[in-house]
Amino acid sequence: PAPAELGFLLADLLLEGRQRLEASNGADDLVAFWRAFLGVPRPRGIERCLEVILDRMAVTSSAVFLRSTTVGLRLAAARPGEVSPALATIARTAWGRQNGYMGHKEAKDGSEASTTAAVPVISVSRPLGILAIERVGGRPLERADLALLATLGERVAWALGG
């Protein structure tokens, strides 16, 4: 069976995420994303942003998919490496609906349960791509995590020059 999915309006997630970041080190995230692109090609800058997201959100993997004129979405970068089928699926769902989505996959056949989350990366009302994360084992991702991811996606768009 397919993982269970739950969708949320991006505007609501951004509002919630911005409020949470005001109480934490949100400005530090933005600076870290801008620094990620200094003196390196764009693909390496995206990889560096994903490393910040891995650390900030305590997740197993993260990926950025960018808009492509030929295939809809293309994988731009992933950390630590390969993208799981669950992560690719939630990214396609979020892209198709242009909202934040979370997915949950139950543990079976010796594998651990996992949760995924994906949000559109938007620049001035123009979708650039999708930011997606996955946590295998541990505490499942929650709506608050998705709201933070949405706000980090907004910062990635700014760092990409949007």
Side-chain angles (χ1 to χ4, degrees):
E5 293 179 357
L6 192 56
F8 299 93
L9 292 176
L10 183 61
D12 292 344
L13 293 170
L14 285 169
L15 180 63
E16 181 182 332
R18 288 175 190 143
Q19 290 170 346
R20 289 178 179 275
L21 282 180
E22 284 178 13
S24 69
N25 64 343
D28 293 344
D29 293 327
L30 185 54
V31 170
F33 289 146
W34 278 332
R35 284 186 180 150
F37 286 92
L38 288 177
V40 298
R42 182 177 173 159
R44 180 63 185 131
I46 294 170
E47 291 171 352
R48 287 177 167 181
C49 284
L50 291 175
E51 291 163 6
V52 171
I53 290 166
L54 281 173
D55 183 55
R56 176 80 159 93
M57 300 205 62
V59 293
T60 310
S61 60
S62 61
V64 169
F65 299 82
L66 293 178
R67 178 184 201 151
S68 168
T69 56
T70 57
V71 293
L73 276 182
R74 67 173 174 76
L75 179 64
R79 285 288 173 260
E82 304 240 342
V83 172
S84 73
L87 194 62
T89 297
I90 204 72
R92 284 191 302 273
T93 299
W95 179 252
R97 298 184 183 144
Q98 288 300 300
N99 280 313
Y101 273 82
M102 295 179 55
H104 178 77
K105 184 177 151 197
E106 296 293 330
K108 67 175 186 175
D109 300 329
S111 68
E112 293 186 77
S114 69
T115 50
T116 54
V119 294
V121 176
I122 296 177
S123 173
V124 193
S125 301
R126 184 176 61 94
L128 300 175
I130 295 291
L131 175 59
I133 57 173
E134 181 173 28
R135 182 177 290 152
V136 177
R139 178 185 64 79
L141 295 168
E142 300 171 347
R143 180 190 164 101
D145 298 309
L146 189 61
L148 175 59
L149 185 65
T151 309
L152 294 175
E154 183 177 56
R155 283 158 166 65
V156 169
W158 291 337
L160 285 169

